[in-house]
Amino acid sequence: MISLHSVSKTFGDHTRSVAALDDVSLDVARGEIFGVVGQSGAGKSTLIRTVNLLERPDAGAVVVDGVDLTSIGSGQLRLARQKIGMIFQHFNLLSSRTVRGNVELALEVTGAERRERRRRADEILDLVGLTDKAEAYPGQLSGGQKQRVGIARALAAEPTVLLSDEATSALDPETTRSILELVRTINQQLGLTVLLITHEMDVVKTICDSAALLESGRIVEHGPLVELISRPGSRLAADLFPLGAVPPHAGNTVIDITFSGGSADRPVIAQLARTHGLDVSILGAVIETIGGSQAGRTRLELPGSAAANAAAIADLRSQGLLVEVAA
């Protein structure tokens, strides 16, 4: 549904320039929720703004629903953008318009008639749970309600793609959860493809199907979450399930075990201790629900060297578990 092919974007001039995006290629499948994560300055906002060409790339192609946006004229681009909704971190609502008026604004741009604008606005406000706030003004709303108006406005023109630019970073944790639940519901009910950027790994864990890590304008890792979890050395997996620094281990072996799918339900540690006669110490554990199933990482300390524990480690790996020797 969304494909970026060797996209680059540089800001500045010949005396000083910054590469916001450096040869970025990315594919987002139809109907999935794809998260792009990275620190401030990584190029996340530039990336998402290239999808609807609010930022035109210096090189590369941006294809949305089969249309190469970088190769069409301004008139065709305006029509294509109507199928790409966008929600923002700071809502961007017009304070002089009611909630309904803000939603209808997106339809005024398309030339929809007044009666159709009102019908569609009321329909979408019902979807986002704001029917009773239709005549209220933004100043009378909470942060979460303002973001729901922003989502409703983005959905008004019945887009096929929804872009989210740090949409929950200004919200408290409880409100963030409710907005993420709403985005997932919209994704499922309307079949929308969602591309979101965030620096919060909890957002990725909560609703994303796939993710990419962006650093200094480059994609350094990407893929479906269920694959990333089982990928040796995955930095995204380590960020999803942080275990912290490896503690002093006094010559013993420290291993990190990644569980996913059915392996999360098995008594792996108890079997390891019983089968190999080991006194196993649990140094840390993180378990989450990813893609509807349990997954996580556990850090164990085994007595003795890695060579002495080779049989135990091989046994774990033979069960389909990802085992990495941390120390």
Side-chain angles (χ1 to χ4, degrees), residues 121-149:
D122 288 344
E123 179 180 70
I124 294 299
L125 288 174
D126 180 58
L127 177 64
V128 302
L130 288 179
T131 298
D132 60 335
K133 299 294 184 180
E135 297 301 326
Y137 286 86
Q140 300 170 302
L141 305 178
S142 67
Q145 289 170 334
K146 290 177 183 177
Q147 194 55 282
R148 286 174 181 265
V149 178

PDB file of all heavy atoms in Angstrom, residues 121-149:
ATOM      1  N   ALA A 121     -19.764  14.010   8.803  1.00  0.00           N
ATOM      2  CA  ALA A 121     -19.160  14.446  10.062  1.00  0.00           C
ATOM      3  C   ALA A 121     -19.827  13.760  11.246  1.00  0.00           C
ATOM      4  O   ALA A 121     -19.144  13.266  12.158  1.00  0.00           O
ATOM      5  CB  ALA A 121     -19.258  15.956  10.200  1.00  0.00           C
ATOM      6  N   ASP A 122     -21.160  13.704  11.243  1.00  0.00           N
ATOM      7  CA  ASP A 122     -21.868  13.060  12.345  1.00  0.00           C
ATOM      8  C   ASP A 122     -21.567  11.561  12.393  1.00  0.00           C
ATOM      9  O   ASP A 122     -21.461  10.962  13.477  1.00  0.00           O
ATOM     10  CB  ASP A 122     -23.372  13.289  12.218  1.00  0.00           C
ATOM     11  CG  ASP A 122     -23.769  14.736  12.523  1.00  0.00           C
ATOM     12  OD1 ASP A 122     -22.941  15.454  13.109  1.00  0.00           O
ATOM     13  OD2 ASP A 122     -24.894  15.136  12.167  1.00  0.00           O
ATOM     14  N   GLU A 123     -21.430  10.954  11.234  1.00  0.00           N
ATOM     15  CA  GLU A 123     -21.110   9.524  11.162  1.00  0.00           C
ATOM     16  C   GLU A 123     -19.745   9.243  11.788  1.00  0.00           C
ATOM     17  O   GLU A 123     -19.583   8.294  12.577  1.00  0.00           O
ATOM     18  CB  GLU A 123     -21.129   9.077   9.703  1.00  0.00           C
ATOM     19  CG  GLU A 123     -20.792   7.617   9.483  1.00  0.00           C
ATOM     20  CD  GLU A 123     -20.833   7.268   7.999  1.00  0.00           C
ATOM     21  OE1 GLU A 123     -19.932   7.729   7.261  1.00  0.00           O
ATOM     22  OE2 GLU A 123     -21.749   6.547   7.593  1.00  0.00           O
ATOM     23  N   ILE A 124     -18.758  10.065  11.452  1.00  0.00           N
ATOM     24  CA  ILE A 124     -17.416   9.863  11.963  1.00  0.00           C
ATOM     25  C   ILE A 124     -17.317  10.218  13.445  1.00  0.00           C
ATOM     26  O   ILE A 124     -16.617   9.559  14.213  1.00  0.00           O
ATOM     27  CB  ILE A 124     -16.400  10.683  11.144  1.00  0.00           C
ATOM     28  CG1 ILE A 124     -16.347  10.150   9.715  1.00  0.00           C
ATOM     29  CG2 ILE A 124     -15.017  10.620  11.759  1.00  0.00           C
ATOM     30  CD1 ILE A 124     -15.906   8.709   9.608  1.00  0.00           C
ATOM     31  N   LEU A 125     -18.021  11.257  13.865  1.00  0.00           N
ATOM     32  CA  LEU A 125     -18.012  11.613  15.292  1.00  0.00           C
ATOM     33  C   LEU A 125     -18.607  10.498  16.136  1.00  0.00           C
ATOM     34  O   LEU A 125     -18.164  10.261  17.269  1.00  0.00           O
ATOM     35  CB  LEU A 125     -18.771  12.926  15.518  1.00  0.00           C
ATOM     36  CG  LEU A 125     -18.056  14.185  15.023  1.00  0.00           C
ATOM     37  CD1 LEU A 125     -18.963  15.402  15.170  1.00  0.00           C
ATOM     38  CD2 LEU A 125     -16.739  14.390  15.780  1.00  0.00           C
ATOM     39  N   ASP A 126     -19.581   9.801  15.594  1.00  0.00           N
ATOM     40  CA  ASP A 126     -20.134   8.641  16.296  1.00  0.00           C
ATOM     41  C   ASP A 126     -19.083   7.540  16.410  1.00  0.00           C
ATOM     42  O   ASP A 126     -18.937   6.900  17.455  1.00  0.00           O
ATOM     43  CB  ASP A 126     -21.368   8.124  15.555  1.00  0.00           C
ATOM     44  CG  ASP A 126     -21.989   6.913  16.241  1.00  0.00           C
ATOM     45  OD1 ASP A 126     -22.372   7.022  17.432  1.00  0.00           O
ATOM     46  OD2 ASP A 126     -22.069   5.841  15.601  1.00  0.00           O
ATOM     47  N   LEU A 127     -18.303   7.340  15.339  1.00  0.00           N
ATOM     48  CA  LEU A 127     -17.267   6.305  15.338  1.00  0.00           C
ATOM     49  C   LEU A 127     -16.202   6.580  16.396  1.00  0.00           C
ATOM     50  O   LEU A 127     -15.732   5.649  17.066  1.00  0.00           O
ATOM     51  CB  LEU A 127     -16.610   6.227  13.948  1.00  0.00           C
ATOM     52  CG  LEU A 127     -15.441   5.244  13.792  1.00  0.00           C
ATOM     53  CD1 LEU A 127     -15.917   3.809  14.001  1.00  0.00           C
ATOM     54  CD2 LEU A 127     -14.803   5.392  12.424  1.00  0.00           C
ATOM     55  N   VAL A 128     -15.839   7.850  16.568  1.00  0.00           N
ATOM     56  CA  VAL A 128     -14.781   8.168  17.529  1.00  0.00           C
ATOM     57  C   VAL A 128     -15.336   8.508  18.918  1.00  0.00           C
ATOM     58  O   VAL A 128     -14.587   8.917  19.813  1.00  0.00           O
ATOM     59  CB  VAL A 128     -13.896   9.332  17.025  1.00  0.00           C
ATOM     60  CG1 VAL A 128     -13.272   8.982  15.684  1.00  0.00           C
ATOM     61  CG2 VAL A 128     -14.675  10.642  16.937  1.00  0.00           C
ATOM     62  N   GLY A 129     -16.638   8.367  19.111  1.00  0.00           N
ATOM     63  CA  GLY A 129     -17.232   8.552  20.424  1.00  0.00           C
ATOM     64  C   GLY A 129     -17.421   9.988  20.853  1.00  0.00           C
ATOM     65  O   GLY A 129     -17.347  10.305  22.050  1.00  0.00           O
ATOM     66  N   LEU A 130     -17.697  10.880  19.899  1.00  0.00           N
ATOM     67  CA  LEU A 130     -17.847  12.306  20.243  1.00  0.00           C
ATOM     68  C   LEU A 130     -19.163  12.904  19.756  1.00  0.00           C
ATOM     69  O   LEU A 130     -19.256  14.117  19.555  1.00  0.00           O
ATOM     70  CB  LEU A 130     -16.685  13.112  19.654  1.00  0.00           C
ATOM     71  CG  LEU A 130     -15.317  12.943  20.303  1.00  0.00           C
ATOM     72  CD1 LEU A 130     -14.284  13.788  19.573  1.00  0.00           C
ATOM     73  CD2 LEU A 130     -15.347  13.311  21.782  1.00  0.00           C
ATOM     74  N   THR A 131     -20.177  12.094  19.595  1.00  0.00           N
ATOM     75  CA  THR A 131     -21.463  12.600  19.135  1.00  0.00           C
ATOM     76  C   THR A 131     -21.989  13.721  20.022  1.00  0.00           C
ATOM     77  O   THR A 131     -22.508  14.728  19.535  1.00  0.00           O
ATOM     78  CB  THR A 131     -22.493  11.460  19.083  1.00  0.00           C
ATOM     79  OG1 THR A 131     -22.050  10.475  18.132  1.00  0.00           O
ATOM     80  CG2 THR A 131     -23.852  11.965  18.660  1.00  0.00           C
ATOM     81  N   ASP A 132     -21.802  13.574  21.342  1.00  0.00           N
ATOM     82  CA  ASP A 132     -22.329  14.575  22.277  1.00  0.00           C
ATOM     83  C   ASP A 132     -21.488  15.851  22.326  1.00  0.00           C
ATOM     84  O   ASP A 132     -21.853  16.823  22.995  1.00  0.00           O
ATOM     85  CB  ASP A 132     -22.437  13.974  23.683  1.00  0.00           C
ATOM     86  CG  ASP A 132     -21.097  13.508  24.236  1.00  0.00           C
ATOM     87  OD1 ASP A 132     -20.199  13.202  23.420  1.00  0.00           O
ATOM     88  OD2 ASP A 132     -20.946  13.450  25.469  1.00  0.00           O
ATOM     89  N   LYS A 133     -20.357  15.864  21.614  1.00  0.00           N
ATOM     90  CA  LYS A 133     -19.489  17.050  21.608  1.00  0.00           C
ATOM     91  C   LYS A 133     -19.519  17.785  20.262  1.00  0.00           C
ATOM     92  O   LYS A 133     -18.699  18.681  20.032  1.00  0.00           O
ATOM     93  CB  LYS A 133     -18.041  16.636  21.911  1.00  0.00           C
ATOM     94  CG  LYS A 133     -17.844  15.989  23.274  1.00  0.00           C
ATOM     95  CD  LYS A 133     -18.108  16.969  24.409  1.00  0.00           C
ATOM     96  CE  LYS A 133     -17.819  16.333  25.752  1.00  0.00           C
ATOM     97  NZ  LYS A 133     -18.074  17.266  26.884  1.00  0.00           N
ATOM     98  N   ALA A 134     -20.445  17.457  19.406  1.00  0.00           N
ATOM     99  CA  ALA A 134     -20.467  18.018  18.048  1.00  0.00           C
ATOM    100  C   ALA A 134     -20.524  19.538  18.040  1.00  0.00           C
ATOM    101  O   ALA A 134     -19.911  20.184  17.182  1.00  0.00           O
ATOM    102  CB  ALA A 134     -21.648  17.446  17.266  1.00  0.00           C
ATOM    103  N   GLU A 135     -21.247  20.139  18.986  1.00  0.00           N
ATOM    104  CA  GLU A 135     -21.400  21.600  19.009  1.00  0.00           C
ATOM    105  C   GLU A 135     -20.424  22.281  19.961  1.00  0.00           C
ATOM    106  O   GLU A 135     -20.461  23.502  20.133  1.00  0.00           O
ATOM    107  CB  GLU A 135     -22.829  21.963  19.397  1.00  0.00           C
ATOM    108  CG  GLU A 135     -23.882  21.477  18.403  1.00  0.00           C
ATOM    109  CD  GLU A 135     -23.656  22.036  17.004  1.00  0.00           C
ATOM    110  OE1 GLU A 135     -23.189  23.193  16.899  1.00  0.00           O
ATOM    111  OE2 GLU A 135     -23.928  21.323  16.022  1.00  0.00           O
ATOM    112  N   ALA A 136     -19.540  21.506  20.581  1.00  0.00           N
ATOM    113  CA  ALA A 136     -18.544  22.098  21.481  1.00  0.00           C
ATOM    114  C   ALA A 136     -17.389  22.683  20.674  1.00  0.00           C
ATOM    115  O   ALA A 136     -17.207  22.367  19.491  1.00  0.00           O
ATOM    116  CB  ALA A 136     -18.023  21.035  22.449  1.00  0.00           C
ATOM    117  N   TYR A 137     -16.610  23.538  21.328  1.00  0.00           N
ATOM    118  CA  TYR A 137     -15.438  24.131  20.690  1.00  0.00           C
ATOM    119  C   TYR A 137     -14.171  23.484  21.267  1.00  0.00           C
ATOM    120  O   TYR A 137     -14.198  22.956  22.393  1.00  0.00           O
ATOM    121  CB  TYR A 137     -15.415  25.640  20.916  1.00  0.00           C
ATOM    122  CG  TYR A 137     -16.436  26.370  20.088  1.00  0.00           C
ATOM    123  CD1 TYR A 137     -17.749  26.533  20.550  1.00  0.00           C
ATOM    124  CD2 TYR A 137     -16.111  26.866  18.821  1.00  0.00           C
ATOM    125  CE1 TYR A 137     -18.705  27.181  19.779  1.00  0.00           C
ATOM    126  CE2 TYR A 137     -17.059  27.523  18.040  1.00  0.00           C
ATOM    127  CZ  TYR A 137     -18.351  27.663  18.521  1.00  0.00           C
ATOM    128  OH  TYR A 137     -19.297  28.301  17.747  1.00  0.00           O
ATOM    129  N   PRO A 138     -13.066  23.503  20.538  1.00  0.00           N
ATOM    130  CA  PRO A 138     -11.841  22.852  21.006  1.00  0.00           C
ATOM    131  C   PRO A 138     -11.424  23.262  22.414  1.00  0.00           C
ATOM    132  O   PRO A 138     -10.911  22.434  23.179  1.00  0.00           O
ATOM    133  CB  PRO A 138     -10.800  23.285  19.963  1.00  0.00           C
ATOM    134  CG  PRO A 138     -11.596  23.417  18.705  1.00  0.00           C
ATOM    135  CD  PRO A 138     -12.917  23.996  19.148  1.00  0.00           C
ATOM    136  N   GLY A 139     -11.615  24.532  22.766  1.00  0.00           N
ATOM    137  CA  GLY A 139     -11.234  24.992  24.091  1.00  0.00           C
ATOM    138  C   GLY A 139     -12.008  24.337  25.212  1.00  0.00           C
ATOM    139  O   GLY A 139     -11.612  24.432  26.377  1.00  0.00           O
ATOM    140  N   GLN A 140     -13.118  23.676  24.887  1.00  0.00           N
ATOM    141  CA  GLN A 140     -13.938  23.010  25.897  1.00  0.00           C
ATOM    142  C   GLN A 140     -13.634  21.517  26.005  1.00  0.00           C
ATOM    143  O   GLN A 140     -14.302  20.808  26.763  1.00  0.00           O
ATOM    144  CB  GLN A 140     -15.422  23.196  25.540  1.00  0.00           C
ATOM    145  CG  GLN A 140     -15.861  24.655  25.487  1.00  0.00           C
ATOM    146  CD  GLN A 140     -17.260  24.809  24.906  1.00  0.00           C
ATOM    147  OE1 GLN A 140     -17.539  24.393  23.792  1.00  0.00           O
ATOM    148  NE2 GLN A 140     -18.150  25.434  25.687  1.00  0.00           N
ATOM    149  N   LEU A 141     -12.626  21.052  25.293  1.00  0.00           N
ATOM    150  CA  LEU A 141     -12.326  19.626  25.235  1.00  0.00           C
ATOM    151  C   LEU A 141     -11.050  19.274  25.984  1.00  0.00           C
ATOM    152  O   LEU A 141     -10.158  20.094  26.149  1.00  0.00           O
ATOM    153  CB  LEU A 141     -12.173  19.179  23.776  1.00  0.00           C
ATOM    154  CG  LEU A 141     -13.329  19.460  22.816  1.00  0.00           C
ATOM    155  CD1 LEU A 141     -12.958  18.977  21.423  1.00  0.00           C
ATOM    156  CD2 LEU A 141     -14.621  18.813  23.301  1.00  0.00           C
ATOM    157  N   SER A 142     -10.956  18.026  26.405  1.00  0.00           N
ATOM    158  CA  SER A 142      -9.717  17.502  26.977  1.00  0.00           C
ATOM    159  C   SER A 142      -8.754  17.171  25.845  1.00  0.00           C
ATOM    160  O   SER A 142      -9.114  17.165  24.661  1.00  0.00           O
ATOM    161  CB  SER A 142     -10.005  16.236  27.790  1.00  0.00           C
ATOM    162  OG  SER A 142     -10.426  15.183  26.918  1.00  0.00           O
ATOM    163  N   GLY A 143      -7.511  16.875  26.209  1.00  0.00           N
ATOM    164  CA  GLY A 143      -6.518  16.522  25.203  1.00  0.00           C
ATOM    165  C   GLY A 143      -6.916  15.295  24.401  1.00  0.00           C
ATOM    166  O   GLY A 143      -6.773  15.278  23.172  1.00  0.00           O
ATOM    167  N   GLY A 144      -7.440  14.301  25.083  1.00  0.00           N
ATOM    168  CA  GLY A 144      -7.864  13.089  24.388  1.00  0.00           C
ATOM    169  C   GLY A 144      -9.025  13.348  23.442  1.00  0.00           C
ATOM    170  O   GLY A 144      -9.073  12.789  22.334  1.00  0.00           O
ATOM    171  N   GLN A 145      -9.948  14.198  23.867  1.00  0.00           N
ATOM    172  CA  GLN A 145     -11.088  14.527  23.000  1.00  0.00           C
ATOM    173  C   GLN A 145     -10.628  15.319  21.780  1.00  0.00           C
ATOM    174  O   GLN A 145     -11.123  15.101  20.675  1.00  0.00           O
ATOM    175  CB  GLN A 145     -12.128  15.322  23.806  1.00  0.00           C
ATOM    176  CG  GLN A 145     -12.864  14.481  24.837  1.00  0.00           C
ATOM    177  CD  GLN A 145     -13.705  15.324  25.776  1.00  0.00           C
ATOM    178  OE1 GLN A 145     -13.419  16.508  26.005  1.00  0.00           O
ATOM    179  NE2 GLN A 145     -14.746  14.724  26.332  1.00  0.00           N
ATOM    180  N   LYS A 146      -9.673  16.231  21.979  1.00  0.00           N
ATOM    181  CA  LYS A 146      -9.138  16.980  20.841  1.00  0.00           C
ATOM    182  C   LYS A 146      -8.493  16.044  19.825  1.00  0.00           C
ATOM    183  O   LYS A 146      -8.652  16.210  18.609  1.00  0.00           O
ATOM    184  CB  LYS A 146      -8.113  18.009  21.316  1.00  0.00           C
ATOM    185  CG  LYS A 146      -8.711  19.174  22.091  1.00  0.00           C
ATOM    186  CD  LYS A 146      -7.614  20.107  22.593  1.00  0.00           C
ATOM    187  CE  LYS A 146      -8.199  21.239  23.432  1.00  0.00           C
ATOM    188  NZ  LYS A 146      -7.140  22.110  23.992  1.00  0.00           N
ATOM    189  N   GLN A 147      -7.762  15.037  20.321  1.00  0.00           N
ATOM    190  CA  GLN A 147      -7.124  14.105  19.389  1.00  0.00           C
ATOM    191  C   GLN A 147      -8.153  13.254  18.667  1.00  0.00           C
ATOM    192  O   GLN A 147      -7.967  12.910  17.494  1.00  0.00           O
ATOM    193  CB  GLN A 147      -6.112  13.221  20.121  1.00  0.00           C
ATOM    194  CG  GLN A 147      -5.159  12.469  19.196  1.00  0.00           C
ATOM    195  CD  GLN A 147      -4.420  13.382  18.240  1.00  0.00           C
ATOM    196  OE1 GLN A 147      -4.977  13.825  17.229  1.00  0.00           O
ATOM    197  NE2 GLN A 147      -3.169  13.686  18.565  1.00  0.00           N
ATOM    198  N   ARG A 148      -9.256  12.941  19.330  1.00  0.00           N
ATOM    199  CA  ARG A 148     -10.326  12.203  18.657  1.00  0.00           C
ATOM    200  C   ARG A 148     -10.949  13.051  17.535  1.00  0.00           C
ATOM    201  O   ARG A 148     -11.328  12.523  16.492  1.00  0.00           O
ATOM    202  CB  ARG A 148     -11.395  11.768  19.666  1.00  0.00           C
ATOM    203  CG  ARG A 148     -10.952  10.608  20.547  1.00  0.00           C
ATOM    204  CD  ARG A 148     -11.949  10.267  21.632  1.00  0.00           C
ATOM    205  NE  ARG A 148     -11.459   9.176  22.454  1.00  0.00           N
ATOM    206  CZ  ARG A 148     -11.768   7.895  22.276  1.00  0.00           C
ATOM    207  NH1 ARG A 148     -12.620   7.547  21.324  1.00  0.00           N
ATOM    208  NH2 ARG A 148     -11.266   6.951  23.049  1.00  0.00           N
ATOM    209  N   VAL A 149     -11.048  14.371  17.776  1.00  0.00           N
ATOM    210  CA  VAL A 149     -11.525  15.253  16.712  1.00  0.00           C
ATOM    211  C   VAL A 149     -10.531  15.234  15.550  1.00  0.00           C
ATOM    212  O   VAL A 149     -10.916  15.179  14.378  1.00  0.00           O
ATOM    213  CB  VAL A 149     -11.713  16.698  17.222  1.00  0.00           C
ATOM    214  CG1 VAL A 149     -12.163  17.604  16.074  1.00  0.00           C
ATOM    215  CG2 VAL A 149     -12.733  16.742  18.355  1.00  0.00           C
TER     216      VAL A 149
END
